[in-house]
Every structure is written in structure tokens, then in C-alpha cells.
Amino acid sequence: MIDWPNVTAPGPPEPGLEPEELQKSKCVLGFIPVVYYSVLLCVGVPVNVLTAVALSRLASRTKKALYYYLLAVTGSDILSQLFIIFVGFLLETAVFHRDVPSLLLHSVSAAEFAANHASIWSTVPLTVDRYVALCHPLLHRQISYPARARRIIAVVLALSLVSGVPFFWWSDMWRNSHPPTSRDAVLIWTHVTIIYFLPCSIFLVLNSLIMRTLRQRQRRGHEERGPKAGPPGRLGKSTAMLLAITSVFSVLWAPRTVVVIYHLYVSSVHRDWRVHLAYDLSNMLAMLNTAVNFFLYCFVSKPFRGAVRDVMLLRGGPLYPRRALPQHHAPNHASISSLYSGNLKRWQREPTPLSPRRATGPS
């Protein structure tokens, strides 16, 4: 990011390269990335900590599996901010200029990729949970409960940690003067598949199925109400939130994916200042994804805003919600999280989802 040599130590010129080809690319942004990442860190960490505390309160009150998935996303975002933004971009790059032991440099690189993968893949169980809740509500009542959600989250975090190990050998795109090797190509394609192509494919398929199911339900409801019933209902808040989270991720991470592949096949970051500039800007956009979920939750969710208000005013909400009256029985879709239930009826605020042992009982 700052104008320092792209290589850690001088070496003999590579055969077949002209002197101008060996000239490193310059960072035209200067200190702008340092200021940007500092602001992003100062804003992102506090709002994510606030989000984690508010979601913890909501999870303890409602016992909804969805809150645990949202907590996993928030915790992974905090790890990404600490490892990637603070340690990687600010300490190693801006302060020490990568003048640190090679073993430490590569170890931090593996930790950065593990945190990155955890941040992205924590959204996948959330998407699957919303798909099952909306498209298979009876099944959701049986399989979605906090204990299972915690196990799924533990598996995702463990796999993310393991998936970061191969990136111990990740090449420094800013400073390596040699063209990408075969090992670099394997790591780059593994990286873009894990962080973009595979999760985005899952998001696209499940979101499409959700939208199709909602349209079919709206069409059936419109037909049952008759031609004078007016237009079908608008998109639900839970679905709107899910689409917002996955769409923001897809948009913010797309430029970095394109630049990394361009670096591999067309022109390297080291030799072309335009690619260097594009890589800097795409990293800045991608890291913005770790700090935006708080504002999405506040915009959509009235219960979340209330929990945030209680945390900021140091007010302790009730540990358990008030029980619904006995005559109010929830229908099959009552397991949908109350995070988006600001306008729903009172019977939809059930204290706990059904556990596997209670799933066979009366609803």
C-alpha cells in the first residue's frame, strides 16, 4: 500500500525479462488504504461486538437456532477484522513493511485465510436454515434447535481452520517479482472457489428456491381470495434480509475475485500499477463486508434494535419471554425467527423452538 520495495530481498534478475519488466508497480493510493482500514477497524469492531451482545441476548430469550448462526457470522467477522485488517493490512504492511520473519508472515497468512473462510461460510448454514424454514416448515420444526446449530457452527469453524493451512504457502502478490507458478495457480483457484464461486452458487440456488416457493404461495393465496382480493403480499422481512446479506457479499467480493484471476493469467500485481490499484481497491471493498451486517439488522429488525438499545442503555431485558396464552397455537411456520417478526402476530413469539423429543407432540 505504501511506496516500498515489492520484494523482501534483492535477487538476481530473472532470465528473459527486460529491465522495465522488473520495475515494481507503484501504489498510487498512498496512505489512503491505511486511513481507510483504520477507520473500518475503529467502526467495525465496536459495532460487531455490540451486534454479538445483542444477538446473545436474543438467543438466550428465544432459543432460536437462527440467532446462533447470526452470532457465528458476527464472530467470524470480528476475527477477519483482527487478523486481516489489523494484523495483515495495518501491522505487517503499513507498520513493519513486511519486515518480519518469514515463518510468522506465512503463519499469519494461514490465519487470515481461515478467518476469511469462516466469515463467508458461516452465512451458508444461515441460508440453509432459512430455506428449510420457508420451504419445509414441518421439517424445520424438527431439525432446527440451538444444540444442533452449535454443532454445525463448530464443524464450519473447524473446517475453516483446516482450509487455511494450505495458504501458509500463499505468495505475496504485491511483492513477488516472478510470474505465478503452478502452485500459485492451484492456491488461487482454490481460494476463489472457497470464498466466492462455491458459496455464491449455494446462495443463488437456495435463494431462487425460496423466491419460487414464496411466489407459489402468494399465487395460491391470491387465487383462494378471488380476483377482487388485490395484489399478493409483499416480500417478507426474513427473506429480504437473507437476500440483502448474500447480495451484499456477492457484490463486494466480486471485484477481488476478478482481479486475482486477472493477476494469474494476464498481468501480475507486481508489474502493472493498474492491477496493483485494482487489487488495493478490491480488497478495500471486500473488507467492507465485515462491517455492514449491523446496519442491515438495524434497518430491518425491530427486536434487534430494541436489544441494541437495551445494551447501550445498560438495561437488562427479561431472560425469558412471556409465555403465550394457552389458546394461541402457532402454525407450522412459527419457527421462523422473531428477528424479522416486528409486524407479526403475538402467537408467533413462541419461547423455544421444538426440540427433537417434542417434535412429535401436538403443535
Side-chain angles (χ1 to χ4, degrees):
M1 295 186 300
I2 316 303
D3 188 14
W4 54 68
N6 278 352
V7 290
T8 55
E14 298 181 37
L17 296 180
E18 299 296 330
E20 59 271 13
E21 292 180 301
L22 294 174
Q23 181 67 30
K24 73 178 186 67
S25 62
K26 294 183 179 296
C27 177
V28 298
L29 291 178
F31 281 88
I32 292 178
V34 178
V35 176
Y36 172 83
Y37 288 123
S38 300
V39 173
L40 186 61
L41 190 69
C42 292
V43 173
V45 172
V47 299
N48 276 326
V49 171
L50 180 59
T51 301
V53 176
L55 290 174
S56 298
R57 288 194 174 192
L58 292 173
S60 65
R61 288 179 203 166
T62 63
K63 306 300 180 184
K64 298 287 186 178
L66 181 60
Y67 291 118
Y68 293 90
Y69 293 128
L70 294 173
L71 272 171
V73 174
T74 303
S76 300
D77 285 342
I78 294 174
L79 291 178
S80 296
Q81 290 171 339
L82 294 179
F83 279 108
I84 301 176
I85 298 177
F86 179 67
V87 177
F89 286 120
L90 294 180
L91 283 184
E92 285 187 348
T93 304
V95 176
F96 296 112
H97 294 189
R98 296 299 176 99
D99 188 18
V100 294
S102 177
L103 179 61
L104 177 61
L105 190 68
H106 289 285
S107 300
V108 171
S109 176
E112 290 173 358
F113 279 95
N116 191 6
H117 297 166
S119 177
I120 294 168
W121 278 88
S122 295
T123 313
V124 174
L126 170 65
T127 308
V128 174
D129 182 83
R130 292 299 85 204
Y131 162 74
V132 178
L134 293 170
C135 299
H136 306 282
L138 293 177
L139 177 62
H140 185 262
R141 291 170 65 89
Q142 299 178 24
I143 68 174
S144 181
Y145 52 93
R148 173 167 288 177
R150 288 192 292 266
R151 289 196 295 269
I152 293 174
I153 292 168
V155 171
V156 170
L157 295 180
L159 292 177
S160 300
L161 180 62
V162 172
S163 68
V165 173
F167 296 93
F168 178 88
W169 294 274
W170 179 264
S171 296
D172 191 342
M173 292 186 180
W174 278 300
R175 293 165 185 83
N176 281 346
S177 58
H178 59 78
T181 63
S182 299
R183 185 186 67 186
D184 295 334
V186 171
L187 289 177
I188 286 175
W189 274 108
T190 302
H191 173 59
V192 298
T193 300
I194 291 176
I195 62 102
Y196 195 77
F197 292 124
L198 188 55
C200 282
S201 299
I202 296 174
F203 298 153
L204 178 62
V205 171
L206 294 183
N207 289 339
S208 300
L209 293 175
I210 289 173
M211 294 299 297
R212 187 184 68 175
T213 300
L214 292 179
R215 290 196 195 98
Q216 291 174 350
R217 289 179 182 175
Q218 290 175 350
R219 190 181 304 113
R220 286 197 300 265
H222 183 62
E223 292 174 353
E224 292 173 359
R225 291 192 302 266
K228 297 182 180 180
R234 292 180 297 178
L235 187 67
K237 288 188 176 182
S238 59
T239 306
M241 171 60 70
L242 177 62
L243 293 177
I245 293 175
T246 54
S247 298
V248 167
F249 162 75
S250 301
V251 171
L252 293 181
W253 276 90
R256 187 181 187 277
T257 304
V258 173
V259 172
V260 169
I261 297 176
Y262 188 90
H263 159 86
L264 177 62
Y265 290 108
V266 181
S267 180
S268 70
V269 173
H270 175 84
R271 295 178 190 165
D272 193 334
W273 68 268
R274 292 164 296 187
V275 183
H276 192 146
L277 174 62
Y279 193 52
D280 280 338
L281 294 175
S282 63
N283 280 330
M284 293 164 67
L285 279 178
M287 288 299 100
L288 181 62
N289 186 67
T290 62
V292 298
N293 286 340
F294 169 82
F295 304 99
L296 292 176
Y297 300 159
C298 285
F299 180 74
V300 171
S301 170
K302 184 177 179 180
F304 180 78
R305 291 195 299 270
V308 170
R309 189 183 308 113
D310 290 341
V311 173
M312 297 184 68
L313 297 178
L314 302 180
R315 294 189 309 204
L319 183 59
Y320 300 102
R322 291 174 294 179
R323 290 186 178 274
L325 295 177
Q327 63 268 25
H328 295 300
H329 295 283
N332 292 335
H333 63 277
S335 60
I336 297 176
S337 170
S338 63
L339 178 63
Y340 315 109
S341 62
N343 296 325
L344 298 182
K345 297 180 180 178
R346 183 176 299 274
W347 50 256
Q348 284 180 302
R349 295 200 295 266
E350 287 292 332
T352 57
L354 293 177
S355 65
R357 292 188 297 272
R358 296 169 54 195
T360 56
S363 57

